[in-house]
Amino acid sequence: MRLTKPTLFTNIPVTCEERDLPGNLFNQLMKDDPSTVKGAETLMLGEMLTLPQNFGNIFLGETFSSYISVHNDSNQVVKDILVKADLQTSSQRLNLSASSAAVAELKPDCCIDDVIHHEVKEIGTHILVCAVSYTTQTGEKMYFRKFFKFQVLKPLDVKTKFYNAESDLSSVTDEVFLEAQIQNITTSPMFMEKVSLEPSMMYNVAELNTVDTAGESESTFGARTYLQPMDTRQYLYCLKPKQEFAEKAGVIKGVTVIGKLDIVWKTNLGERGRLQTSQLQRMAPGYGDVRLSLETIPDTVNLEEPFDITCKITNCSSERTMDLVLEMCNTNSIHWCGVSGRQLGKLHPSSSLHLALTLLSSVQGLQQSY
């Protein structure tokens, strides 16, 4: 028998008006019914609990619990009873028995009881195989098996999207924003206890799913984080490369591992489930051999007055040394102050160079330079 949480008992209220033929009979019967809520007899929800009437649904990430009982129906004592419980999935066979030792004897009308637990980590068909072997009084060895087949369903649909944000004015390399869309595809509400991102060793993560209200952190989804059937919720995270990796331009490129999502939820009467996604990967944007980024630049400048900026030039190659030459190209509104065509020297692989430059603007308004 599968062990699950009980459910709240529900009844169907039957009532009528006092001028109808039954009079107050139905109302009085509901008041006398011990399963109804006193003072709210017309509500379907009662105060009593109901034991599971069938196997029910089991979802990926939940804990499957089962009660196994071996009963001696005969009038003879049997010996050396060995009970074994295995769970067969599409990819493996797991032994769930708490003990592998045989019971010395089992008297008539006595039982051997066992409770097994298993955290379900695969979807699809599962078969619980219960095997019993014993020896009769005549020394004959007996053996039988029983099979219990059930399906494990998918509780959540998880989709992820990556967004690259260049932090040109920061000493840290590009940030990565992860949007996780989580949909409840079961038929009952879920209480989302935790949805977190466990980053890989290359990144630090900041959750963007809370807001500060009067000095306190409050979830953007409200105080009660219930997810109704077929509803979808978006979670947002910001990842920044750690300093030791951010300084090495050639490390974070190509396919990189971001981390994995850890999702914990509760359903009927606190039934708990947990899912962890596989490692999430993204394709880091390619910058070619040389990357130019802005380290400092003023927000506003005066017309026809020189202002300073600081650039960072990074050699993204892991093998070649770059010989750099600075060429300054004016536009109709932005003019460079300095010597064009000068040598900047050699830039070794995966290293950077900071360069201070001076410009002036001859046109008012928002300007763009190349």
Side-chain angles (χ1 to χ4, degrees):
M1 180 178 66
R2 182 189 172 194
L3 298 179
T4 58
K5 298 282 188 180
T7 56
L8 290 171
F9 178 78
T10 57
N11 53 48
I12 300 176
V14 179
T15 184
C16 65
E17 295 182 0
E18 292 184 359
R19 62 184 181 182
D20 290 337
L21 184 61
N24 198 40
L25 176 63
F26 291 154
N27 294 334
Q28 189 60 43
L29 288 174
M30 285 193 299
K31 289 181 180 179
D32 296 338
D33 190 342
S35 66
T36 58
V37 179
K38 302 306 177 185
E41 292 82 6
T42 56
L43 294 178
M44 292 184 62
L45 198 62
E47 293 181 328
M48 303 182 100
L49 298 176
T50 305
L51 293 176
Q53 303 299 305
N54 50 44
F55 187 87
N57 294 325
I58 184 165
F59 295 97
L60 182 69
E62 293 183 340
T63 299
F64 169 69
S65 300
S66 182
Y67 167 67
I68 298 173
S69 179
V70 179
H71 183 264
N72 185 359
D73 293 334
S74 69
N75 56 4
Q76 300 178 1
V77 177
V78 295
K79 298 180 179 180
D80 301 328
I81 306 96
L82 181 62
V83 183
K84 185 179 180 183
D86 291 342
L87 186 63
Q88 178 71 53
T89 70
S90 58
S91 63
Q92 58 183 333
R93 189 183 182 101
L94 303 168
N95 180 21
L96 304 184
S97 300
S99 173
S100 59
V103 178
E105 65 176 23
L106 184 62
K107 297 179 180 180
D109 290 328
C110 292
C111 297
I112 298 175
D113 300 325
D114 192 14
V115 176
I116 58 174
H117 304 280
H118 173 67
E119 185 179 346
V120 181
K121 298 181 180 180
E122 296 183 42
I123 60 175
T125 304
H126 287 57
I127 302 174
L128 180 63
V129 184
C130 297
V132 181
S133 62
Y134 60 94
T135 304
T136 63
Q137 284 185 334
T138 60
E140 184 181 3
K141 292 187 178 295
M142 305 295 289
Y143 175 82
F144 69 91
R145 292 190 301 174
K146 282 197 172 183
F147 300 89
F148 303 91
K149 186 177 180 180
F150 59 93
Q151 293 288 331
V152 175
L153 307 176
K154 185 180 177 182
L156 299 170
D157 186 24
V158 181
K159 298 179 181 178
T160 57
K161 295 180 181 179
F162 289 106
Y163 303 93
N164 299 315
E166 291 198 5
S167 304
D168 286 337
L169 303 183
S170 172
S171 59
V172 183
T173 55
D174 300 337
E175 298 173 343
V176 180
F177 288 92
L178 169 64
E179 177 191 350
Q181 298 181 359
I182 300 177
Q183 183 182 25
N184 176 8
I185 57 177
T186 69
T187 57
S188 59
M190 286 183 177
F191 172 75
M192 306 304 292
E193 183 176 299
K194 184 182 76 168
V195 179
S196 62
L197 177 64
E198 297 179 0
S200 66
M201 59 178 295
M202 298 173 62
Y203 290 92
N204 292 317
V205 64
E207 293 192 13
L208 305 179
N209 305 306
T210 56
V211 292
D212 290 332
T213 304
E216 295 184 359
S217 182
E218 182 179 336
S219 172
T220 55
F221 309 111
R224 298 178 180 178
T225 55
Y226 289 99
L227 191 59
Q228 298 295 333
M230 303 312 295
D231 278 2
T232 302
R233 184 173 290 170
Q234 287 86 12
Y235 293 84
L236 187 62
Y237 304 90
C238 177
L239 295 110
K240 297 181 181 180
K242 293 182 179 178
Q243 191 63 33
E244 58 266 30
F245 296 103
E247 293 174 350
K248 300 178 181 179
V251 174
I252 305 180
K253 66 179 182 179
V255 178
T256 57
V257 175
I258 295 294
K260 55 186 177 181
L261 287 169
D262 187 16
I263 307 170
V264 180
W265 70 90
K266 289 182 179 178
T267 53
N268 177 46
L269 292 181
E271 196 84 40
R272 184 170 176 159
R274 180 183 181 185
L275 277 181
Q276 277 192 332
T277 65
S278 56
Q279 291 287 353
L280 304 176
Q281 295 181 336
R282 73 180 266 266
M283 177 64 73
Y287 297 105
D289 292 334
V290 178
R291 182 187 178 193
L292 175 67
S293 59
L294 281 176
E295 294 291 290
T296 59
I297 186 172
D299 294 330
T300 58
V301 297
N302 295 327
L303 189 64
E304 297 183 352
E305 287 186 8
F307 61 93
D308 296 326
I309 64 171
T310 303
C311 299
K312 181 180 179 181
I313 305 174
T314 305
N315 182 354
C316 299
S317 172
S318 59
E319 299 177 353
R320 292 188 297 166
T321 298
M322 302 291 178
D323 200 357
L324 302 180
V325 178
L326 177 63
E327 294 284 348
M328 298 178 175
C329 301
N330 295 328
T331 65
N332 294 331
S333 57
I334 299 294
H335 306 274
W336 296 93
C337 303
V339 179
S340 179
R342 62 188 175 98
Q343 297 283 339
L344 297 180
K346 296 184 182 296
L347 188 60
H348 296 286
S350 302
S351 59
S352 301
L353 170 67
H354 288 81
L355 185 64
L357 298 172
T358 304
L359 302 90
L360 65 83
S361 176
S362 58
V363 179
Q364 292 181 340
L366 185 65
Q367 305 296 330
Q368 184 175 10
S369 179
Y370 301 94

PDB file of all heavy atoms in Angstrom, residues 257-281:
ATOM      1  N   VAL A 257      29.521  26.739 -18.376  1.00  0.00           N
ATOM      2  CA  VAL A 257      28.522  26.200 -17.457  1.00  0.00           C
ATOM      3  C   VAL A 257      28.124  27.295 -16.485  1.00  0.00           C
ATOM      4  O   VAL A 257      28.968  27.886 -15.810  1.00  0.00           O
ATOM      5  CB  VAL A 257      29.068  24.969 -16.711  1.00  0.00           C
ATOM      6  CG1 VAL A 257      28.081  24.494 -15.668  1.00  0.00           C
ATOM      7  CG2 VAL A 257      29.393  23.859 -17.692  1.00  0.00           C
ATOM      8  N   ILE A 258      26.826  27.593 -16.400  1.00  0.00           N
ATOM      9  CA  ILE A 258      26.317  28.652 -15.544  1.00  0.00           C
ATOM     10  C   ILE A 258      26.017  28.131 -14.141  1.00  0.00           C
ATOM     11  O   ILE A 258      26.372  28.731 -13.133  1.00  0.00           O
ATOM     12  CB  ILE A 258      25.055  29.280 -16.155  1.00  0.00           C
ATOM     13  CG1 ILE A 258      25.404  29.992 -17.465  1.00  0.00           C
ATOM     14  CG2 ILE A 258      24.400  30.244 -15.176  1.00  0.00           C
ATOM     15  CD1 ILE A 258      26.309  31.183 -17.287  1.00  0.00           C
ATOM     16  N   GLY A 259      25.364  26.996 -14.050  1.00  0.00           N
ATOM     17  CA  GLY A 259      24.949  26.438 -12.767  1.00  0.00           C
ATOM     18  C   GLY A 259      23.686  25.624 -12.961  1.00  0.00           C
ATOM     19  O   GLY A 259      23.333  25.240 -14.082  1.00  0.00           O
ATOM     20  N   LYS A 260      22.968  25.345 -11.870  1.00  0.00           N
ATOM     21  CA  LYS A 260      21.737  24.564 -11.963  1.00  0.00           C
ATOM     22  C   LYS A 260      20.689  25.130 -11.016  1.00  0.00           C
ATOM     23  O   LYS A 260      21.009  25.715  -9.972  1.00  0.00           O
ATOM     24  CB  LYS A 260      21.999  23.091 -11.645  1.00  0.00           C
ATOM     25  CG  LYS A 260      22.658  22.826 -10.306  1.00  0.00           C
ATOM     26  CD  LYS A 260      22.990  21.362 -10.157  1.00  0.00           C
ATOM     27  CE  LYS A 260      23.715  21.086  -8.839  1.00  0.00           C
ATOM     28  NZ  LYS A 260      24.070  19.653  -8.694  1.00  0.00           N
ATOM     29  N   LEU A 261      19.430  24.943 -11.392  1.00  0.00           N
ATOM     30  CA  LEU A 261      18.306  25.419 -10.600  1.00  0.00           C
ATOM     31  C   LEU A 261      17.924  24.367  -9.566  1.00  0.00           C
ATOM     32  O   LEU A 261      17.891  23.167  -9.854  1.00  0.00           O
ATOM     33  CB  LEU A 261      17.108  25.727 -11.491  1.00  0.00           C
ATOM     34  CG  LEU A 261      17.183  26.975 -12.364  1.00  0.00           C
ATOM     35  CD1 LEU A 261      16.042  26.990 -13.365  1.00  0.00           C
ATOM     36  CD2 LEU A 261      17.152  28.240 -11.512  1.00  0.00           C
ATOM     37  N   ASP A 262      17.618  24.827  -8.359  1.00  0.00           N
ATOM     38  CA  ASP A 262      17.147  23.965  -7.287  1.00  0.00           C
ATOM     39  C   ASP A 262      15.742  24.420  -6.910  1.00  0.00           C
ATOM     40  O   ASP A 262      15.546  25.553  -6.459  1.00  0.00           O
ATOM     41  CB  ASP A 262      18.092  24.058  -6.077  1.00  0.00           C
ATOM     42  CG  ASP A 262      17.739  23.055  -4.991  1.00  0.00           C
ATOM     43  OD1 ASP A 262      16.984  22.107  -5.285  1.00  0.00           O
ATOM     44  OD2 ASP A 262      18.215  23.216  -3.853  1.00  0.00           O
ATOM     45  N   ILE A 263      14.753  23.543  -7.124  1.00  0.00           N
ATOM     46  CA  ILE A 263      13.340  23.894  -6.935  1.00  0.00           C
ATOM     47  C   ILE A 263      12.744  22.981  -5.869  1.00  0.00           C
ATOM     48  O   ILE A 263      12.835  21.761  -5.961  1.00  0.00           O
ATOM     49  CB  ILE A 263      12.551  23.747  -8.251  1.00  0.00           C
ATOM     50  CG1 ILE A 263      13.234  24.542  -9.374  1.00  0.00           C
ATOM     51  CG2 ILE A 263      11.110  24.201  -8.077  1.00  0.00           C
ATOM     52  CD1 ILE A 263      12.675  24.259 -10.751  1.00  0.00           C
ATOM     53  N   VAL A 264      12.145  23.580  -4.836  1.00  0.00           N
ATOM     54  CA  VAL A 264      11.493  22.832  -3.764  1.00  0.00           C
ATOM     55  C   VAL A 264      10.062  23.341  -3.645  1.00  0.00           C
ATOM     56  O   VAL A 264       9.828  24.552  -3.610  1.00  0.00           O
ATOM     57  CB  VAL A 264      12.241  23.001  -2.424  1.00  0.00           C
ATOM     58  CG1 VAL A 264      11.546  22.202  -1.325  1.00  0.00           C
ATOM     59  CG2 VAL A 264      13.696  22.562  -2.551  1.00  0.00           C
ATOM     60  N   TRP A 265       9.101  22.398  -3.583  1.00  0.00           N
ATOM     61  CA  TRP A 265       7.698  22.778  -3.474  1.00  0.00           C
ATOM     62  C   TRP A 265       6.985  21.850  -2.492  1.00  0.00           C
ATOM     63  O   TRP A 265       7.489  20.798  -2.112  1.00  0.00           O
ATOM     64  CB  TRP A 265       7.019  22.737  -4.838  1.00  0.00           C
ATOM     65  CG  TRP A 265       6.832  21.346  -5.382  1.00  0.00           C
ATOM     66  CD1 TRP A 265       5.750  20.523  -5.198  1.00  0.00           C
ATOM     67  CD2 TRP A 265       7.752  20.606  -6.185  1.00  0.00           C
ATOM     68  NE1 TRP A 265       5.960  19.325  -5.837  1.00  0.00           N
ATOM     69  CE2 TRP A 265       7.172  19.350  -6.453  1.00  0.00           C
ATOM     70  CE3 TRP A 265       9.031  20.888  -6.698  1.00  0.00           C
ATOM     71  CZ2 TRP A 265       7.811  18.374  -7.220  1.00  0.00           C
ATOM     72  CZ3 TRP A 265       9.673  19.917  -7.454  1.00  0.00           C
ATOM     73  CH2 TRP A 265       9.064  18.683  -7.716  1.00  0.00           C
ATOM     74  N   LYS A 266       5.771  22.261  -2.099  1.00  0.00           N
ATOM     75  CA  LYS A 266       4.914  21.445  -1.248  1.00  0.00           C
ATOM     76  C   LYS A 266       3.511  21.415  -1.846  1.00  0.00           C
ATOM     77  O   LYS A 266       3.045  22.407  -2.409  1.00  0.00           O
ATOM     78  CB  LYS A 266       4.860  22.005   0.184  1.00  0.00           C
ATOM     79  CG  LYS A 266       6.153  21.833   0.963  1.00  0.00           C
ATOM     80  CD  LYS A 266       6.021  22.370   2.383  1.00  0.00           C
ATOM     81  CE  LYS A 266       7.325  22.159   3.168  1.00  0.00           C
ATOM     82  NZ  LYS A 266       7.229  22.719   4.541  1.00  0.00           N
ATOM     83  N   THR A 267       2.864  20.246  -1.695  1.00  0.00           N
ATOM     84  CA  THR A 267       1.502  20.101  -2.199  1.00  0.00           C
ATOM     85  C   THR A 267       0.582  19.736  -1.041  1.00  0.00           C
ATOM     86  O   THR A 267       0.677  20.320   0.026  1.00  0.00           O
ATOM     87  CB  THR A 267       1.448  19.056  -3.330  1.00  0.00           C
ATOM     88  OG1 THR A 267       2.050  17.831  -2.864  1.00  0.00           O
ATOM     89  CG2 THR A 267       2.202  19.529  -4.554  1.00  0.00           C
ATOM     90  N   ASN A 268      -0.275  18.748  -1.235  1.00  0.00           N
ATOM     91  CA  ASN A 268      -1.311  18.389  -0.275  1.00  0.00           C
ATOM     92  C   ASN A 268      -0.759  18.111   1.118  1.00  0.00           C
ATOM     93  O   ASN A 268       0.043  17.197   1.312  1.00  0.00           O
ATOM     94  CB  ASN A 268      -2.061  17.154  -0.814  1.00  0.00           C
ATOM     95  CG  ASN A 268      -3.103  16.663   0.150  1.00  0.00           C
ATOM     96  OD1 ASN A 268      -3.862  17.438   0.697  1.00  0.00           O
ATOM     97  ND2 ASN A 268      -3.120  15.361   0.370  1.00  0.00           N
ATOM     98  N   LEU A 269      -1.191  18.931   2.083  1.00  0.00           N
ATOM     99  CA  LEU A 269      -0.814  18.769   3.496  1.00  0.00           C
ATOM    100  C   LEU A 269       0.693  18.662   3.698  1.00  0.00           C
ATOM    101  O   LEU A 269       1.176  17.895   4.529  1.00  0.00           O
ATOM    102  CB  LEU A 269      -1.520  17.549   4.094  1.00  0.00           C
ATOM    103  CG  LEU A 269      -3.047  17.681   4.249  1.00  0.00           C
ATOM    104  CD1 LEU A 269      -3.621  16.421   4.867  1.00  0.00           C
ATOM    105  CD2 LEU A 269      -3.414  18.889   5.087  1.00  0.00           C
ATOM    106  N   GLY A 270       1.450  19.427   2.936  1.00  0.00           N
ATOM    107  CA  GLY A 270       2.893  19.490   3.137  1.00  0.00           C
ATOM    108  C   GLY A 270       3.692  18.419   2.429  1.00  0.00           C
ATOM    109  O   GLY A 270       4.878  18.250   2.724  1.00  0.00           O
ATOM    110  N   GLU A 271       3.076  17.671   1.493  1.00  0.00           N
ATOM    111  CA  GLU A 271       3.828  16.680   0.716  1.00  0.00           C
ATOM    112  C   GLU A 271       4.911  17.410  -0.071  1.00  0.00           C
ATOM    113  O   GLU A 271       4.624  18.295  -0.870  1.00  0.00           O
ATOM    114  CB  GLU A 271       2.890  15.947  -0.237  1.00  0.00           C
ATOM    115  CG  GLU A 271       3.459  14.674  -0.806  1.00  0.00           C
ATOM    116  CD  GLU A 271       3.282  13.479   0.118  1.00  0.00           C
ATOM    117  OE1 GLU A 271       2.227  13.334   0.740  1.00  0.00           O
ATOM    118  OE2 GLU A 271       4.247  12.690   0.199  1.00  0.00           O
ATOM    119  N   ARG A 272       6.159  17.018   0.143  1.00  0.00           N
ATOM    120  CA  ARG A 272       7.284  17.797  -0.383  1.00  0.00           C
ATOM    121  C   ARG A 272       7.866  17.169  -1.631  1.00  0.00           C
ATOM    122  O   ARG A 272       7.902  15.938  -1.780  1.00  0.00           O
ATOM    123  CB  ARG A 272       8.369  17.914   0.691  1.00  0.00           C
ATOM    124  CG  ARG A 272       9.543  18.780   0.316  1.00  0.00           C
ATOM    125  CD  ARG A 272      10.424  19.033   1.510  1.00  0.00           C
ATOM    126  NE  ARG A 272      11.609  19.792   1.163  1.00  0.00           N
ATOM    127  CZ  ARG A 272      12.334  20.479   2.014  1.00  0.00           C
ATOM    128  NH1 ARG A 272      11.978  20.509   3.271  1.00  0.00           N
ATOM    129  NH2 ARG A 272      13.407  21.133   1.635  1.00  0.00           N
ATOM    130  N   GLY A 273       8.327  18.015  -2.545  1.00  0.00           N
ATOM    131  CA  GLY A 273       9.009  17.565  -3.751  1.00  0.00           C
ATOM    132  C   GLY A 273      10.191  18.470  -4.047  1.00  0.00           C
ATOM    133  O   GLY A 273      10.212  19.645  -3.661  1.00  0.00           O
ATOM    134  N   ARG A 274      11.174  17.910  -4.722  1.00  0.00           N
ATOM    135  CA  ARG A 274      12.371  18.690  -5.047  1.00  0.00           C
ATOM    136  C   ARG A 274      12.926  18.257  -6.396  1.00  0.00           C
ATOM    137  O   ARG A 274      12.991  17.068  -6.707  1.00  0.00           O
ATOM    138  CB  ARG A 274      13.441  18.497  -3.974  1.00  0.00           C
ATOM    139  CG  ARG A 274      14.717  19.285  -4.244  1.00  0.00           C
ATOM    140  CD  ARG A 274      15.773  19.016  -3.198  1.00  0.00           C
ATOM    141  NE  ARG A 274      16.987  19.787  -3.456  1.00  0.00           N
ATOM    142  CZ  ARG A 274      18.104  19.672  -2.755  1.00  0.00           C
ATOM    143  NH1 ARG A 274      18.162  18.826  -1.738  1.00  0.00           N
ATOM    144  NH2 ARG A 274      19.163  20.404  -3.053  1.00  0.00           N
ATOM    145  N   LEU A 275      13.302  19.252  -7.199  1.00  0.00           N
ATOM    146  CA  LEU A 275      13.908  18.990  -8.500  1.00  0.00           C
ATOM    147  C   LEU A 275      15.169  19.835  -8.658  1.00  0.00           C
ATOM    148  O   LEU A 275      15.199  20.994  -8.238  1.00  0.00           O
ATOM    149  CB  LEU A 275      12.946  19.337  -9.642  1.00  0.00           C
ATOM    150  CG  LEU A 275      11.894  18.299 -10.049  1.00  0.00           C
ATOM    151  CD1 LEU A 275      11.068  18.839 -11.195  1.00  0.00           C
ATOM    152  CD2 LEU A 275      12.548  16.991 -10.441  1.00  0.00           C
ATOM    153  N   GLN A 276      16.169  19.239  -9.257  1.00  0.00           N
ATOM    154  CA  GLN A 276      17.364  19.969  -9.653  1.00  0.00           C
ATOM    155  C   GLN A 276      17.569  19.762 -11.145  1.00  0.00           C
ATOM    156  O   GLN A 276      17.546  18.624 -11.630  1.00  0.00           O
ATOM    157  CB  GLN A 276      18.590  19.479  -8.884  1.00  0.00           C
ATOM    158  CG  GLN A 276      18.750  20.098  -7.517  1.00  0.00           C
ATOM    159  CD  GLN A 276      20.110  19.830  -6.905  1.00  0.00           C
ATOM    160  OE1 GLN A 276      20.752  18.832  -7.197  1.00  0.00           O
ATOM    161  NE2 GLN A 276      20.579  20.730  -6.064  1.00  0.00           N
ATOM    162  N   THR A 277      17.745  20.857 -11.864  1.00  0.00           N
ATOM    163  CA  THR A 277      17.980  20.736 -13.296  1.00  0.00           C
ATOM    164  C   THR A 277      19.414  20.269 -13.543  1.00  0.00           C
ATOM    165  O   THR A 277      20.255  20.281 -12.651  1.00  0.00           O
ATOM    166  CB  THR A 277      17.750  22.080 -13.994  1.00  0.00           C
ATOM    167  OG1 THR A 277      18.736  23.031 -13.522  1.00  0.00           O
ATOM    168  CG2 THR A 277      16.356  22.628 -13.703  1.00  0.00           C
ATOM    169  N   SER A 278      19.660  19.846 -14.758  1.00  0.00           N
ATOM    170  CA  SER A 278      21.039  19.565 -15.148  1.00  0.00           C
ATOM    171  C   SER A 278      21.802  20.885 -15.266  1.00  0.00           C
ATOM    172  O   SER A 278      21.209  21.975 -15.195  1.00  0.00           O
ATOM    173  CB  SER A 278      21.064  18.800 -16.477  1.00  0.00           C
ATOM    174  OG  SER A 278      20.376  19.538 -17.469  1.00  0.00           O
ATOM    175  N   GLN A 279      23.101  20.811 -15.434  1.00  0.00           N
ATOM    176  CA  GLN A 279      23.908  22.027 -15.530  1.00  0.00           C
ATOM    177  C   GLN A 279      23.482  22.865 -16.738  1.00  0.00           C
ATOM    178  O   GLN A 279      23.427  22.365 -17.861  1.00  0.00           O
ATOM    179  CB  GLN A 279      25.390  21.673 -15.650  1.00  0.00           C
ATOM    180  CG  GLN A 279      25.990  21.071 -14.383  1.00  0.00           C
ATOM    181  CD  GLN A 279      26.191  22.098 -13.284  1.00  0.00           C
ATOM    182  OE1 GLN A 279      26.004  23.292 -13.484  1.00  0.00           O
ATOM    183  NE2 GLN A 279      26.577  21.630 -12.106  1.00  0.00           N
ATOM    184  N   LEU A 280      23.146  24.137 -16.472  1.00  0.00           N
ATOM    185  CA  LEU A 280      22.732  25.048 -17.543  1.00  0.00           C
ATOM    186  C   LEU A 280      23.968  25.595 -18.246  1.00  0.00           C
ATOM    187  O   LEU A 280      24.942  25.990 -17.598  1.00  0.00           O
ATOM    188  CB  LEU A 280      21.901  26.193 -16.974  1.00  0.00           C
ATOM    189  CG  LEU A 280      20.658  25.775 -16.170  1.00  0.00           C
ATOM    190  CD1 LEU A 280      19.987  27.002 -15.571  1.00  0.00           C
ATOM    191  CD2 LEU A 280      19.689  25.011 -17.040  1.00  0.00           C
ATOM    192  N   GLN A 281      23.916  25.635 -19.569  1.00  0.00           N
ATOM    193  CA  GLN A 281      25.044  26.104 -20.359  1.00  0.00           C
ATOM    194  C   GLN A 281      24.617  27.240 -21.268  1.00  0.00           C
ATOM    195  O   GLN A 281      23.461  27.312 -21.702  1.00  0.00           O
ATOM    196  CB  GLN A 281      25.630  24.964 -21.205  1.00  0.00           C
ATOM    197  CG  GLN A 281      26.238  23.834 -20.388  1.00  0.00           C
ATOM    198  CD  GLN A 281      26.814  22.747 -21.258  1.00  0.00           C
ATOM    199  OE1 GLN A 281      26.411  22.575 -22.402  1.00  0.00           O
ATOM    200  NE2 GLN A 281      27.776  22.002 -20.734  1.00  0.00           N
TER     201      GLN A 281
END
